[in-house]
Amino acid sequence: MDERVKAGLVSVAGNTILTISKLIVGIIIGSVSIISEAIHSANDLVASILTVIAVKVSSKPPDKFHQYGHGKIENISGIIEALLIVLAAALIINEAWQKLITKTVISHLSLGIIVMLIASIVNYFVSRYLFAVAKKHDSIALEADGLHLRTDVYTSAGIAVGLIIIKFTGYYWIDPVAAIIVSLFILHAAIKLIIKALRPLMDSAIDEEDLKRIEDILDKYNDQYYNYHALRTRKSGRDTHIDLHLLIKPETSVKSAHDLCEEIEASIKEVIPFSVVLIHVEPVAGPQLQ
């Protein structure tokens, strides 16, 4: 099984257990902040399922209708996940406001505290695993899923702290206020995710650090060509598409030019994993700077 799919399934399993646990406990003790976290986890569950689908589709090889591969499905998945987060935040704010007005009293606080602390610990380790796999495979879908769960770590811990304060002070208004704070964290995560997922869909260039790595590799071979220009890059899921024009002497044989391009492409792929490199060779009569 693809490691990315396996990571997605771990997230699905974790979110399923936590969603059910939070919902049952939230209803039993009457805590809107825990119910709001259950809604958030349910959202994350849907997002995790989308992630599994996205990484499976993105790993398919290019075909007749998708000749550049299926990588951008991960970005589409990330945007859908972000919109689900926004929806969850809106539901939480509405429910919390109603509870703040009606001044609902919470019972069995210890049970709620235990569930929230367990949820925070579980989400920490699952999100850590997802981030590691996302970094290894440059997967925006897994990174988005990990971001959801890392947000849950802080919100669940925050709700646990709020319940502890209620237990010792009796200030029950803290519960809906904590739920509203949770929703603000969720919205912040959603905005960051939308921006990150949208950039590759707009064929944005790779970051300056990776671009500098490519330029350094080209400089290593500058004794074998005059110059290069029209260097372009774009992201498609985990794939990085790179193309450029290489200016060489007109008397250079086709084989020599091909071997040089092969060396450059191999060197770039070592520092930019999952890259697709296309080099167009142009013969020139003398040094040309463009």
Side-chain angles (χ1 to χ4, degrees):
M1 185 185 294
D2 189 313
E3 188 177 15
R4 294 176 298 160
V5 176
K6 189 184 298 183
L9 291 175
V10 169
S11 179
V12 170
N15 278 316
T16 301
I17 294 169
L18 291 177
T19 298
I20 296 171
S21 301
K22 290 176 183 177
L23 186 60
I24 291 173
V25 172
I27 293 172
I28 289 174
I29 73 174
S31 169
V32 65
S33 61
I34 294 181
I35 292 174
S36 71
E37 267 295 282
I39 294 171
H40 188 192
S41 291
N43 236 276
D44 287 347
L45 175 57
V46 174
S48 297
I49 294 171
L50 285 174
T51 298
V52 172
I53 296 171
V55 295
K56 286 192 75 170
V57 173
S58 69
S59 64
K60 293 166 77 174
D63 56 33
K64 179 181 178 181
F65 300 104
H66 307 90
Q67 297 178 356
Y68 290 91
H70 303 78
K72 287 188 178 180
I73 187 68
E74 290 204 29
N75 302 95
I76 296 170
S77 170
I79 292 172
I80 294 173
E81 289 178 34
L83 294 175
L84 287 173
I85 293 176
V86 172
L87 175 61
L91 293 172
I92 291 169
I93 290 173
N94 179 66
E95 184 68 19
W97 180 251
Q98 297 300 322
K99 293 288 184 180
L100 193 59
I101 293 173
T102 57
K103 301 179 181 179
T104 304
V105 176
I106 305 171
S107 60
H108 307 292
L109 286 167
S110 297
L111 178 60
I113 293 167
I114 292 170
V115 169
M116 285 297 99
L117 289 177
I118 291 174
S120 186
I121 293 168
V122 170
N123 280 327
Y124 171 76
F125 285 105
V126 176
S127 65
R128 185 176 172 180
Y129 170 58
L130 289 175
F131 281 137
V133 178
K135 184 177 181 181
K136 180 179 177 181
H137 295 277
D138 196 11
S139 171
I140 182 68
L142 283 179
E143 184 181 346
D145 207 11
L147 179 62
H148 288 170
L149 297 185
R150 186 53 59 90
T151 302
D152 283 354
V153 172
Y154 303 120
T155 55
S156 295
I159 289 171
V161 171
L163 294 176
I164 291 170
I165 294 172
I166 294 171
K167 186 177 180 66
F168 288 100
T169 65
Y171 296 151
Y172 291 101
W173 55 265
I174 291 174
D175 183 60
V177 169
I180 292 172
I181 294 173
V182 166
S183 70
L184 295 178
F185 271 104
I186 294 171
L187 284 172
H188 177 68
I191 292 169
K192 287 177 63 177
L193 182 56
I194 288 172
I195 293 171
K196 184 162 188 174
L198 270 176
R199 287 188 63 200
L201 291 178
M202 297 296 294
D203 285 338
S204 297
I206 59 177
D207 59 48
E208 291 294 327
E209 186 178 342
D210 283 338
L211 185 60
K212 181 67 167 58
R213 290 193 182 106
I214 295 171
E215 292 171 342
D216 288 344
I217 287 171
L218 289 167
D219 289 342
K220 276 180 21 182
Y221 296 91
N222 62 9
D223 59 332
Q224 301 181 54
Y225 64 85
Y226 282 135
N227 196 15
Y228 68 86
H229 66 170
L231 173 58
R232 302 185 302 175
T233 63
R234 67 181 178 88
K235 291 284 289 182
S236 176
R238 69 174 180 173
D239 295 331
T240 301
H241 292 269
I242 303 161
D243 62 80
L244 63 109
H245 293 192
L246 199 66
L247 310 181
I248 64 172
K249 296 177 183 178
E251 61 269 21
T252 303
S253 68
V254 173
K255 184 180 186 307
S256 296
H258 175 268
D259 291 345
L260 174 59
C261 291
E262 287 280 296
E263 284 186 48
I264 294 173
E265 289 173 15
S267 297
I268 291 175
K269 288 177 180 180
E270 284 182 10
V271 298
I272 312 289
F274 314 110
S275 59
V276 180
V277 186
L278 177 64
I279 301 176
H280 172 70
V281 173
E282 294 182 7
V284 292
Q288 270 188 15
L289 296 176
Q290 296 188 21

